[in-house]
Amino acid sequence: MNTVDVIIPTYKPDYSLLTLIDDLEKQSLRPSHIIIMNTEEKYWNKLLEETKENPLEKYDNIIVKHVTKAEFDHGETRNQGVALSDSDFFLMMTQDAFPRDKMLISNLAKALDRDVAAAYARQYPKSDCNLAERYSRKFNYPNEPMRKTQEDVDKLGIKTYFCSNVCAMYRRDVYNVIGGFTHRTIFNEDMVFAGNACQRGYAIMYVPEAGVIHSHNYTCMQQFHRNFDLGVSQTDHPEIFGRIKSETEGKKMVRQTIDHFRHIGKAHLIPGYIVMCGFRWMGYKLGRNYKKLPMGVVKACSLNKEYWKTRS
């Protein structure tokens, strides 16, 4: 039986993190360790003080490592978490995703054959999720499982490398061969890893039987900032994204979402959705061309402002 550790980067954790830990401890395949990579120790201490609960006292398999906000990096902080693990597989999760049932870890682990670098879970919307975001979950996370390799690039395009860091399990041996996550990255470390893996002959698995509850109702400006950083990450990794068109999948989702709104009698939502998509597109395009922009503009557009302090 392969061993599994769970690694969760956290920032300003609240009581829901303790709920997530409880859910993970109740999995049919219990993780050997749950490794918390927490940004700013003061926020962890605040959580313990407010909740009067300490998972380190409740469970015997919790590891907590603190980094400063200046030290946090989407790729390197995850690498540091992996360095604390000695398991065969490790599951990367975000603090706002919750297992849909007790089979999440075991279903992902079963998908990690020797030539599979990573397997990611299906995402289900929260109860308060807006209709556009709810449909995006259906678009990106269908019912059918999928095995993706470099041979699928012509057919699937950018979707070949899709592997969400919200909930994805990785083989440690393949991770070592690839060299881990990018050591300095603004965003999108999961797809960069998946692209490297596919180009080296490994596969990425989508496992719909493994489910997590996760969604956001982002504002237009939040979408703008996120997509700016997405564009930056793609520009910084031409070896992965340089030969693949990213806009095709986006346009397809927009068309299908608009058709869905019409079909369910919610056509009045279309104008607002188009505006939201405009913010996404503007953010992405500016991010793709960030090298042509003044650094002040770049920082204003970016979600991850700490990233630019070492690049000013």
Side-chain angles (χ1 to χ4, degrees):
M1 176 69 71
N2 292 300
T3 55
V4 179
D5 284 343
V6 180
I7 302 170
I8 310 172
T10 61
Y11 181 56
K12 296 184 178 180
D14 58 21
Y15 188 79
S16 64
L17 176 66
L18 304 181
T19 301
L20 170 57
I21 291 173
D22 287 341
D23 288 349
L24 291 170
E25 296 286 2
K26 295 173 185 174
Q27 288 285 298
S28 63
L29 175 56
R30 185 175 184 246
S32 299
H33 296 94
I34 297 176
I35 301 167
I36 308 294
M37 296 298 298
N38 179 67
T39 300
E40 297 294 348
E41 186 173 3
K42 64 182 179 182
Y43 295 125
W44 178 261
N45 293 336
K46 182 181 178 183
L47 170 67
L48 302 188
E49 182 181 336
E50 290 181 349
T51 63
K52 309 300 182 187
E53 290 188 31
N54 189 339
L56 282 80
E57 296 174 355
K58 187 175 183 180
Y59 299 108
D60 61 359
N61 63 340
I62 308 293
I63 299 171
V64 179
K65 179 178 173 60
H66 302 289
V67 300
T68 66
K69 192 172 182 181
E71 292 170 333
F72 174 82
D73 180 82
H74 278 276
E76 187 57 25
T77 300
R78 285 172 168 81
N79 287 331
Q80 292 172 5
V82 177
L84 298 174
S85 166
D86 59 3
S87 287
D88 304 310
F89 303 157
F90 58 89
L91 174 61
M92 303 295 312
M93 290 190 70
T94 54
Q95 70 191 67
D96 57 353
F98 302 90
R100 193 164 183 257
D101 55 37
K102 294 182 179 180
M103 303 302 292
L104 172 68
I105 294 178
S106 61
N107 281 333
L108 287 172
K110 284 189 292 188
L112 289 183
D113 295 331
R114 285 197 167 275
D115 64 340
V116 175
Y120 64 99
R122 184 177 187 176
Q123 293 185 31
Y124 291 85
K126 296 179 182 178
S127 58
D128 66 347
C129 183
N130 65 54
L131 288 177
E133 186 72 9
R134 191 173 291 274
Y135 188 79
S136 77
R137 291 290 174 272
K138 184 177 180 180
F139 180 87
N140 288 317
Y141 303 96
N143 295 326
E144 301 77 21
M146 190 178 300
R147 175 188 171 89
K148 301 177 293 185
T149 69
Q150 189 65 19
E151 295 179 358
D152 295 310
V153 167
D154 289 342
K155 178 177 66 175
L156 297 178
I158 193 69
K159 211 160 190 176
T160 308
Y161 302 152
F162 184 74
C163 178
S164 176
N165 67 6
V166 167
C167 184
M169 188 178 290
Y170 299 79
R171 287 191 67 103
R172 179 61 179 267
D173 53 358
V174 177
Y175 169 92
N176 290 339
V177 169
I178 291 173
F181 297 106
T182 305
H183 293 275
R184 185 75 177 139
T185 184
I186 189 170
F187 194 56
N188 218 23
E189 75 290 334
D190 45 356
M191 287 186 68
V192 174
F193 181 93
N196 281 323
C198 287
Q199 290 179 7
R200 287 171 177 255
Y202 295 101
I204 303 297
M205 289 291 297
Y206 165 58
V207 186
E209 297 82 10
V212 290
I213 309 299
H214 175 263
S215 61
H216 291 284
N217 294 322
Y218 288 127
T219 65
C220 287
M221 284 309 301
Q222 287 173 325
Q223 294 281 13
F224 174 87
H225 293 310
R226 285 179 59 82
N227 278 268
F228 181 86
D229 287 0
L230 174 65
V232 169
S233 72
Q234 292 191 8
T235 293
D236 283 349
H237 292 281
E239 76 283 3
I240 305 296
F241 302 104
R243 300 176 185 175
I244 298 180
K245 283 188 176 182
S246 299
E247 293 93 335
T248 305
E249 276 298 304
K251 291 175 182 176
K252 182 179 176 182
M253 187 177 77
V254 170
R255 287 195 302 269
Q256 290 191 11
T257 303
I258 290 173
D259 288 344
H260 174 67
F261 283 162
R262 288 181 177 135
H263 179 71
I264 63 174
K266 299 287 185 180
H268 64 279
L269 297 176
I270 294 174
Y273 176 68
I274 291 174
V275 170
M276 175 76 75
C277 292
F279 274 82
R280 286 178 183 165
W281 182 83
M282 285 189 293
Y284 174 74
K285 281 297 184 181
L286 285 171
R288 283 294 255 166
N289 293 279
Y290 83 92
K291 293 181 179 180
K292 302 174 184 176
L293 302 175
M295 184 52 66
V297 174
V298 169
K299 289 180 179 178
C301 292
S302 180
L303 180 66
N304 186 0
K305 303 193 187 300
E306 292 288 332
Y307 175 80
W308 302 101
K309 289 186 176 180
T310 58
R311 298 187 56 160
S312 299

